[in-house]
Amino acid sequence: MSFYNYDEAKEAADFIRKFIADKPSTAVVSGSGLGGIADIINKKIIIDTAEIPNWPRSTAPGHAGKIIFGKIHNRNIILLQGRVHYYEGYSMQAVTFPVRVLKMLGVEEYIATNASGAINKNFRIGDIIAVKDHINLMGMNPLIGVNEPRWNVRFPDMTHAYDEKILEILKSFGLKEGVYAAFTGPSYETPAEIKMAGILGADLAGMSTVPEVITANAMEMKTAVLSCVANMAAGISESKLTEEEVLDNMKKISGKLSDIIVKLIEKLNGE
């Protein structure tokens, strides 16, 4: 069993480097049903994560388990088609292992996407929300355990976990902003849990991403999250929540999300 430590991350990074000639500047992580983002990458190099030493295997629907390296507007991009989740039975260290590897490859910006349920009644299915902050309701933090100073300081500040400059760019595209509440899943939240999260200040609910953001922020990557509203959260709508609805709605959003990522890369390039 892997302990997901520094040496194991280095082994994974060294393996990936065999396939890519240039350092990736920006990482994009695609959430449930959003793997179509790969279509916007040029000069693709595709790596199956099953081949990468120590890499955790995704079992969630809509997560392909591929790494794609290439270019968008001449910027070196590395795309993770899918992620692993705490609800799959992985430790937090396993969930955030890919983040560690990406930083060791030289990634400077970490842009995550996900599917979420809307708590804010002003949001609609199909909206893409720029996450400005989060509430960790998972009962666990990925930095718990033996500290590795080669990765991060023991007590990283989380005041600006979501990069302010990238947030301003996303807002300039007309995107709404919101606070994301992370639950463990895999069961959807109850109406009472959603009501609680709303009282605490959450606009969205989901089952991922926050451990990655904590880790990426700790490793001093500029971090941003684009959350795609796949449904209205429990109690906000009386409709039954289903996995099929999430995946269907994410497919519909994928093209719009790809356009936003291309525009964001343009801005990061100073174009």
Side-chain angles (χ1 to χ4, degrees):
M1 179 181 292
S2 176
F3 293 99
Y4 299 100
N5 58 31
Y6 185 91
D7 290 337
E8 289 177 322
K10 184 177 183 302
E11 184 182 7
D14 288 344
F15 179 86
I16 294 170
R17 284 193 189 97
K18 295 177 183 177
F19 297 88
I20 61 176
D22 302 311
K23 182 184 80 170
S25 299
T26 305
V28 178
V29 181
S30 63
S32 298
L34 295 170
I37 295 171
D39 295 339
I40 63 177
I41 295 179
N42 301 312
K43 301 180 180 179
K44 296 183 185 68
I45 297 170
I46 302 174
I47 305 170
D48 190 330
T49 56
E51 299 175 1
I52 303 172
N54 311 314
W55 198 276
R57 311 289 183 255
S58 178
T59 64
H63 292 258
K66 306 283 185 185
I67 289 178
I68 300 175
F69 180 83
K71 291 182 181 291
I72 298 176
H73 286 286
N74 212 37
R75 191 179 190 87
N76 294 329
I77 304 292
I78 188 165
L79 169 69
L80 272 58
Q81 278 191 310
R83 54 165 57 90
V84 294
H85 304 78
Y86 193 43
Y87 66 69
E88 294 175 72
Y90 285 110
S91 68
M92 280 288 179
Q93 288 70 32
V95 168
T96 56
F97 181 80
V99 183
R100 301 293 195 188
V101 175
L102 289 171
K103 176 63 176 181
M104 294 171 79
L105 289 171
V107 167
E108 298 169 4
E109 296 104 8
Y110 186 88
I111 301 167
T113 69
N114 63 35
S116 60
I119 300 172
N120 188 324
K121 294 180 181 179
N122 293 319
F123 293 173
R124 296 289 179 266
I125 293 172
D127 282 350
I128 297 175
I129 310 299
V131 175
K132 64 178 180 179
D133 206 344
H134 70 241
I135 302 171
N136 184 6
L137 297 174
M138 301 180 100
M140 183 58 69
N141 187 298
L143 306 182
I144 289 174
V146 177
N147 188 49
E148 174 50 78
R150 288 173 289 183
W151 275 337
N152 52 259
V153 298
R154 188 43 157 161
F155 303 106
D157 176 52
M158 292 293 293
T159 305
H160 301 293
Y162 297 83
D163 186 78
E164 290 181 304
K165 290 183 179 179
I166 298 179
L167 259 177
E168 287 302 314
I169 293 171
L170 295 174
K171 285 164 59 179
S172 76
F173 299 158
L175 297 187
K176 302 171 186 175
E177 358 172 62
V179 175
Y180 178 93
F183 292 82
T184 62
S187 57
Y188 289 108
E189 303 76 31
T190 67
E193 288 169 336
I194 290 299
K195 183 178 180 180
M196 172 196 70
I199 291 170
L200 291 175
D203 299 291
L204 303 160
M207 305 174 189
S208 69
T209 311
V210 164
E212 301 162 33
V213 169
I214 292 171
T215 304
N217 182 76
M219 298 187 79
E220 300 184 340
M221 283 187 269
K222 296 174 183 176
T223 305
V225 172
L226 291 162
S227 191
C228 304
V229 177
N231 52 35
M232 303 306 289
I236 306 299
S237 167
E238 295 304 315
S239 300
K240 183 178 179 179
L241 305 181
T242 67
E243 176 185 298
E244 290 76 18
E245 179 190 19
V246 169
L247 294 177
D248 286 346
N249 285 330
M250 288 304 94
K251 288 176 184 176
K252 295 173 185 175
I253 296 172
S254 187
K256 180 181 175 183
L257 179 64
S258 297
D259 291 342
I260 291 170
I261 290 172
V262 170
K263 288 170 64 179
L264 176 57
I265 298 301
E266 284 180 327
K267 291 289 186 180
L268 292 175
N269 274 345
E271 296 176 17

